[in-house]
Amino acid sequence: MLETGYIKETNTKIAFDKQAQPLLRNSPEITQAVATFMENTRYPEHSVENFKHLGTGNHSIVYGFGTIALKLSTAFTGKLTYRYGTPIPPENLILQSQFLTTLSNHIHRNSITEISVPKQFFAARSASGNFLSLHENLEEKMTMSEWIIENELTIPEEIELLNATKKRITTQLGSFGLKKGLNDLGLEKGAALSSRNIMIARNTLDPTSAELSIIDQPSKGAIHSIGGILNNMFYLSTKNDFESLNDFLDV
């Protein structure tokens, strides 16, 4: 799991990879974005507005700056807010980053070469309950759903690809205890694979053999709830308290 901590000055809960601290420290633009997010709790969108927009999900928006992707989730970000015209609870990006780190550790420990997870650098929950995460930018890739549309697959071809990909992922992950936390696999309800959070290289000719990058898991379900309990326990046991963002970055 990532290290956890608390920044007292702004009442911000954080999770982070210690090895990624220099990456944040050496990028004034990213440091300023994180500071703006923590300090401007009414309009956290200001923290990412100067970066390149990469995409919008149901609960979040994603921006890019070089090798770093910045994901923001508030009650007013994402497609659901616009669809229903009402605030929607944000997704917990701290738990998401923790889960993806756990998944990544399993992949590396078992030398799985066909699946990858974007490196998770930092996640934060502000005093007003908004979330920001920083992770590896996969802008050179596209979602499998985008590939399907771009290559004009028929419905039978799409179903065949999704079934093959689902089988491939479950086989590769083996006995991974948290496999049901991969919501887009549809294991818990026996549903079809959702390809929106499976990414492949843009120049892929054969998606059945392309490396698969899994993103945005989990945002709901039992594993999400269990993750919340474990995260709180881990947070209380580590007690990485920092006076300020500068103290955290050791500037």
Side-chain angles (χ1 to χ4, degrees), residues 47-201:
S47 62
V48 296
E49 61 186 5
N50 293 324
F51 300 123
K52 179 181 179 181
H53 178 256
L54 299 180
T56 302
N58 284 336
H59 299 276
S60 306
I61 49 178
V62 183
Y63 290 79
F65 181 75
T67 59
I68 298 178
L70 303 92
K71 185 175 183 180
L72 182 70
S73 188
T74 76
F76 300 98
T77 56
K79 296 176 182 178
L80 294 182
T81 292
Y82 293 102
R83 181 183 303 168
Y84 297 111
T86 186
I88 301 292
E91 56 184 333
N92 189 324
L93 299 184
I94 290 181
L95 293 186
Q96 190 172 102
S97 293
Q98 294 281 30
F99 180 84
L100 289 173
T101 298
T102 301
L103 176 59
S104 179
N105 290 339
H106 171 79
I107 289 170
H108 290 299
R109 213 168 31 243
N110 291 275
S111 302
I112 298 171
T113 58
E114 297 181 27
I115 302 174
S116 65
V117 175
K119 181 71 175 174
Q120 305 296 305
F121 302 131
F122 175 86
R125 180 187 186 277
S126 72
S128 55
N130 299 311
F131 289 90
L132 175 72
S133 70
L134 309 179
H135 55 84
E136 181 185 0
N137 188 356
L138 300 182
E139 190 177 7
E140 78 284 358
K141 298 189 177 185
M142 67 192 309
T143 66
M144 185 171 281
S145 58
E146 290 172 329
W147 191 94
I148 289 169
I149 293 171
E150 189 173 289
N151 288 272
E152 300 180 341
L153 266 62
T154 63
I155 292 179
E157 289 173 335
E158 178 180 352
I159 292 173
E160 183 179 358
L161 173 59
L162 296 184
N163 288 340
T165 303
K166 180 175 181 176
K167 183 177 181 180
R168 188 174 159 209
I169 293 173
T170 54
T171 300
Q172 285 286 311
L173 291 182
S175 60
F176 180 52
L178 298 178
K179 194 155 41 178
K180 286 191 176 179
L182 292 164
N183 298 320
D184 293 301
L185 281 181
L187 296 177
E188 198 166 358
K189 297 181 180 179
L193 172 76
S194 171
S195 55
R196 291 178 300 174
N197 290 324
I198 308 295
M199 302 193 75
I200 56 178

